[in-house]
Amino acid sequence: MAKQSRNGKGRADLDAFRVQSTGTDLTTNQGVPIADNQNSLRAGERGPTLLEDFILREKITHFDHERIPERVVHARGAGAHGYFTVSESLEKFTRAKFLCDPSLRTPVFVRFSTVGGSRGSADTVRDVRGFATKFYTPEGNFDIVGNNMPVFFIQDAIKFPDFVHAVKPEPHHEMPQASSAHDSFWDFVSLTPESTHMVMWLMSDRAIPRSYATMEGFGVHTYRWINADGESTFVKYHWKPVRGMSSLVWDEAQKLAGKDADFNRRDLWESIEAGNFPEFELGVQLFDDAQADAFDFDVLDPTKLIPEELVPVQLVGKMVLDRNPDNFFAETEQVAFCVSHVVPGVDFSNDPLLQGRIFSYLDTQLSRLGGPNFHQIPINRPVCPFRNGQQDGFHQMEIRVGKTAYDPNSVDGGLPKEKPVEDGGFASYLEQLRGDKRRVRAGSFKDHFSQATLFWNSQTDVEKEHIASAFGFELAKVERVEIRERVLGRLANVDADLTARVAAQIGLAAPKASKVDGPLRRRNGKPAQRIESSPALSIIANAGEGSAKGRKVAILVADGVDGPAVAAMKAALKKAGVTGLVLADHLGTVASTDGEPVAVDHTIVTMPSIAFDAVYVPGGVDSARALAASGDAVHYVAEAYKHVKPIAAAADGADLLRQAGIVRAGQTGSDAGNGVFVGTPAKIGAAFTRALAAHRVWTRTDQIAVPA
Ligand code: HDE
């Protein structure tokens, strides 16, 4: 059984490794008490330091070796502990115990990441996000090492080093950091048509999530589940955020990269500390060979998704992230996700990208974590016993008791011994294989554009605008005209309108589509199934009513503010799981209309509007007048307006909005569609909270003219 910690949050067995660094004497690593930690041992007061100073040498030597190599990709990330529960037994499809027992709370550790940037790069860059989950199951660790996009740039593992070298900073000057907006990325993708579909996702708002808690996750590849009878079902994994999806807008994302490079990491941390636990439902698309054979694409091709219209996503369980790590390095940095970590009942498909990954992740840990015993690091240890004849190596932490390290043996009574498949031992799916040994790309992988078009067709107008602008932005940073032209040539095979919009931004003529391989028309003698548009691929069309939980509202105040209104708004927001923070031009308190000083949480300049989802300007004539006279405050609301965020104000507070040019004189209530609410909290509160749940006011159209 997986062990839970006393408070129900995370793994109980990790408690044994937690070491309190306070409350004891300061010692060397050998336990020798240190009397002076301020001065090194010298020959004379102003003389040289002595080699004999073992205390200094131990300290500096350890410091010199504090770094381990960062991950080759996904170097920047943030992690959290939690648990997973399956809602109903899935034994019909898999014999994995953690998927068959609804009473089991399986501990998990999740690490979210960006891909291209170094460990110290900004969170909010345009990039794919990693979404890796380690399930500590009673039958061993199972890792779903996924992304927040359901497809990938390439079809074969042999292209991965090329792709990564192209997107990373260029080798001669190591620029740009954490950005695909440069020649080598666009050069590679324009010469690699299979990347077209994924590039569409990368240019969409999926690449700038508002929060890790508001993005979807995908296993990407087709995997297999195997039941107790040895029968296999294909499976694609999905994580659906309970709060719904929401993203940043591009101007906001770029500014955040400078003003709060830790934006997503901080949001995850604070959300968990506040008890607003991020939750995700596990969804699966289950299908068999016959279904797979009917699609107009190949399910082994990782540049293709299976539209939910063809195979619905069934929600089968829930993951809750309810505990922050104690130590970033020990847990988030040292956690080692491996695609090869599967448990009985879970197996791979022959996707050629997946096949390479099964090798790569174990291999990379050897240089990243320094040896073959990384599974003994607390965060990586399975919660079930693990025993075999592997021995020694760097960082062996266990004192193995026993006289043998081989199998079969008689000396140790034949232990540890194999477990038959019927009793739970791992077995690969019995798949019949026959084929010629050759380097080849399957003919069924040849259609590189249909699903890129499907993605485009599935977007709302607002999202299409964002995608076209993202292409325009990135290509405007590409120096070589021939690369820009080649990209337009690829887009021409996706959609003529998109091509025209991008071409206009970069001053080139829009080319015509060229003749390319289309989707598979017939599979096994029957017409293949295809879908022209899938609302599930759009963030906005998929949003439903959304959830305000986890959002943040800036409350702008100055001396003379209506204190009771501030308190009432804070309380109402808290009820909806929203954090309201009071901002003024100085810390401390501001005077209130009722004589009770109002505590200030942050200054306006340290917490810009881009760090919030909405703004509230309470009443109080003096406060409103002071804010309207402050350039910082005027800019604050104008910028929030530009970023299509809901804005609420009391009648007096609306002075500030008028000063910023975002409401007209005398305007009250909810302005039809533009997301500005003026009135008492009682009058506008409900509409404001609904707008917060919807996140952005996409119906606002005049924000382009706002000079912020
Ligand atoms: Fe990875 N990938 N990858 N990748 N990947 C790594 O493993 C690799 C791919 C993904 O939070 C590395 O431990 C190859 C697809 C995530 O620790 C490395 C190929 C998907 C993470 C590696 C791929 C991913 C990684 C670097 C093509 C989405 C971060 C450090 C054959 C389904 C996990 C490490 C974490 C990390 C190799 C393609 C997701 C070098 C060879 C497709 C989320 O082993």
Side-chain angles (χ1 to χ4, degrees):
M1 268 291 281
K3 290 174 237 161
Q4 283 289 134
S5 72
R6 287 180 305 277
N7 58 9
K9 294 176 177 179
R11 292 170 47 186
D13 60 313
L14 287 185
D15 288 350
F17 295 95
R18 284 200 191 101
V19 178
Q20 284 297 337
S21 51
T22 53
T24 54
D25 290 339
L26 184 71
T27 73
T28 67
N29 286 336
Q30 302 306 315
V32 176
I34 296 173
D36 182 350
N37 193 34
Q38 319 304 321
N39 303 295
S40 45
L41 193 65
R42 285 183 207 139
E45 202 175 76
R46 299 178 61 243
T49 302
L50 298 179
L51 190 61
E52 177 194 318
D53 190 350
F54 66 94
I55 296 177
L56 169 74
R57 277 198 292 127
E58 183 197 78
K59 188 171 175 182
I60 298 243
T61 304
H62 196 279
F63 171 76
D64 290 345
H65 298 271
E66 271 175 10
R67 291 289 169 273
I68 63 170
E70 65 173 33
R71 289 167 174 82
V72 182
V73 280
H74 297 265
R76 167 112 187 139
H81 291 274
Y83 61 88
F84 170 81
T85 341
V86 70
S87 7
E88 277 175 37
S89 172
L90 296 165
E91 65 196 344
K92 198 170 154 218
F93 306 104
T94 173
R95 66 190 177 107
K97 280 194 185 140
F98 85 105
L99 293 170
C100 294
D101 182 355
S103 71
L104 198 65
R105 258 182 158 209
T106 303
V108 298
F109 188 78
V110 174
R111 183 173 178 272
F112 301 106
S113 48
T114 51
V115 181
S118 297
R119 207 181 132 184
S121 59
D123 278 350
T124 60
V125 297
R126 177 175 296 284
D127 198 355
V128 183
R129 298 297 181 286
F131 189 141
T133 309
K134 188 181 287 294
F135 299 81
Y136 302 92
T137 93
E139 300 169 291
N141 288 352
F142 169 52
D143 297 350
I144 298 182
V145 197
N147 278 345
N148 76 330
M149 298 177 191
V151 289
F152 202 64
F153 295 95
I154 46 166
Q155 295 174 323
D156 190 310
I158 202 166
K159 296 311 299 168
F160 191 64
D162 296 301
F163 164 70
V164 172
H165 292 168
V167 69
K168 281 270 185 181
E170 298 187 11
H172 52 303
H173 54 25
E174 214 188 31
M175 290 191 275
Q177 178 56 242
S179 169
S180 52
H182 59 116
D183 282 44
S184 63
F185 172 75
W186 289 98
D187 188 28
F188 178 84
V189 297
S190 68
L191 294 168
T192 310
E194 71 206 49
S195 65
T196 311
H197 185 195
M198 180 64 164
V199 170
M200 295 292 293
W201 284 81
L202 184 66
M203 294 302 109
S204 80
D205 294 347
R206 300 261 180 168
I208 41 172
R210 155 69 179 82
S211 150
Y212 293 135
T214 61
M215 63 182 201
E216 289 186 332
F218 303 89
V220 175
H221 314 278
T222 296
Y223 285 85
R224 280 185 189 279
W225 275 354
I226 306 170
N227 67 15
D229 296 328
E231 293 160 344
S232 148
T233 308
F234 285 129
V235 57
K236 285 231 184 218
Y237 299 114
H238 296 245
W239 287 115
K240 299 265 184 193
V242 170
R243 287 186 203 167
M245 275 187 279
S246 48
S247 288
L248 300 171
V249 296
W250 181 227
D251 180 57
E252 193 185 18
Q254 288 183 87
K255 288 174 175 167
L256 275 169
K259 294 206 176 189
D260 187 4
D262 304 309
F263 185 70
N264 290 139
R265 173 183 291 196
R266 188 186 310 286
D267 175 84
L268 177 67
W269 182 276
E270 288 180 351
S271 203
I272 293 176
E273 290 300 297
N276 279 334
F277 301 139
E279 296 177 336
F280 298 87
E281 291 192 275
L282 178 66
V284 289
Q285 285 178 298
L286 297 171
F287 55 101
D288 59 20
D289 284 288
Q291 282 171 287
D293 282 347
F295 303 144
D296 67 350
F297 55 89
D298 194 326
V299 298
L300 300 184
D301 174 356
T303 66
K304 305 294 185 298
L305 53 86
I306 304 183
E308 296 188 17
E309 291 72 17
L310 288 180
V311 181
V313 175
Q314 307 177 37
L315 300 178
V316 296
K318 192 160 161 194
M319 175 166 77
V320 180
L321 301 181
D322 64 351
R323 209 193 87 208
N324 280 315
D326 289 299
N327 184 280
F328 185 90
F329 179 83
E331 300 173 85
T332 309
E333 193 58 16
Q334 293 204 109
V335 65
F337 293 96
C338 293
V339 176
S340 52
H341 290 168
V342 289
V343 291
V346 179
D347 205 355
F348 312 107
S349 74
N350 297 329
D351 171 338
L353 192 70
L354 172 61
Q355 293 279 316
R357 295 182 71 205
I358 299 167
F359 162 74
S360 174
Y361 289 70
L362 180 60
D363 181 52
T364 203
Q365 313 308 343
L366 301 181
S367 59
R368 198 170 74 78
L369 297 170
N373 290 313
F374 67 86
H375 60 284
Q376 294 183 22
I377 295 173
I379 193 69
N380 294 323
R381 293 176 75 87
V383 292
C384 59
F386 48 102
R387 288 285 162 262
N388 53 52
Q390 295 166 27
Q391 63 170 0
D392 306 345
F394 282 116
H395 316 131
Q396 171 59 264
M397 294 295 152
E398 295 181 337
I399 302 172
R400 299 277 174 90
V401 179
K403 308 235 167 347
T404 65
Y406 57 86
D407 167 63
N409 74 66
S410 69
V411 174
D412 271 338
L415 296 173
K417 67 173 185 339
E418 296 155 334
K419 196 167 192 169
V421 178
E422 324 64 273
D423 297 341
F426 182 87
S428 299
Y429 175 59
L430 188 69
E431 185 184 8
Q432 287 209 339
L433 294 172
R434 220 194 132 269
D436 305 328
K437 182 159 89 181
R438 59 189 177 128
R439 294 187 184 274
V440 67
R441 191 71 62 97
S444 51
F445 280 36
K446 273 191 183 151
D447 164 29
H448 303 315
F449 299 103
S450 309
Q451 287 209 349
T453 308
L454 167 70
F455 182 72
W456 174 255
N457 287 345
S458 307
Q459 305 302 308
T460 59
D461 287 347
V462 169
E463 291 167 302
K464 283 185 173 175
E465 184 50 40
H466 291 181
I467 293 170
S469 308
F471 271 105
F473 180 95
E474 298 255 322
L475 292 175
K477 294 228 174 199
V478 168
E479 288 168 13
R480 294 171 180 81
V481 178
E482 65 274 19
I483 297 179
R484 290 185 224 147
E485 284 171 343
R486 223 183 294 131
V487 174
L488 283 183
R490 296 290 179 219
L491 290 184
N493 284 328
V494 177
D495 185 84
D497 173 38
L498 168 64
T499 316
R501 291 198 212 180
V502 178
Q505 292 174 72
I506 55 174
L508 292 173
K512 292 240 170 329
S514 54
K515 208 174 151 4
V516 290
D517 287 306
L520 301 167
R521 298 209 173 277
R522 297 184 76 76
R523 304 288 310 260
N524 290 341
K526 299 197 194 98
Q529 280 184 297
R530 70 171 316 185
I531 294 290
E532 304 296 338
S533 168
S534 171
L537 305 184
S538 152
I539 297 176
I540 296 178
N542 216 352
E545 290 194 347
S547 160
K549 201 172 158 188
R551 307 242 198 263
K552 274 166 122 178
V553 176
I555 303 173
L556 302 189
V557 303
D559 281 332
V561 71
D562 178 353
V566 172
M569 182 56 97
K570 268 190 134 173
L573 292 173
K574 196 166 176 204
K575 243 178 151 177
V578 177
T579 311
L581 295 176
V582 175
L583 273 61
D585 68 354
H586 58 80
L587 286 179
T589 56
V590 293
S592 154
T593 43
D594 68 350
E596 274 297 309
V598 172
V600 176
D601 296 305
H602 295 279
T603 60
I604 287 178
V605 289
T606 52
M607 287 291 273
S609 87
I610 50 177
F612 291 91
D613 300 289
V615 183
Y616 173 56
V617 191
V621 181
D622 291 344
S623 169
R625 200 169 293 149
L627 288 170
S630 151
D632 285 337
V634 173
H635 178 265
Y636 207 97
V637 288
E639 192 182 46
Y641 190 83
K642 188 173 189 71
H643 296 150
V644 280
K645 293 173 178 171
I647 295 172
D652 301 337
D655 273 356
L656 175 61
L657 310 191
R658 271 186 287 279
Q659 190 65 25
I662 59 180
V663 289
R664 290 176 298 282
Q667 180 185 322
T668 57
S670 163
D671 187 356
N674 88 338
V676 179
F677 309 94
V678 180
T680 58
K683 207 166 149 209
I684 60 168
F688 184 49
T689 317
R690 266 199 309 279
L692 262 171
H695 200 215
R696 306 275 172 182
V697 187
W698 297 120
T699 42
R700 190 179 288 161
T701 50
D702 55 349
Q703 71 276 10
I704 297 166
V706 174

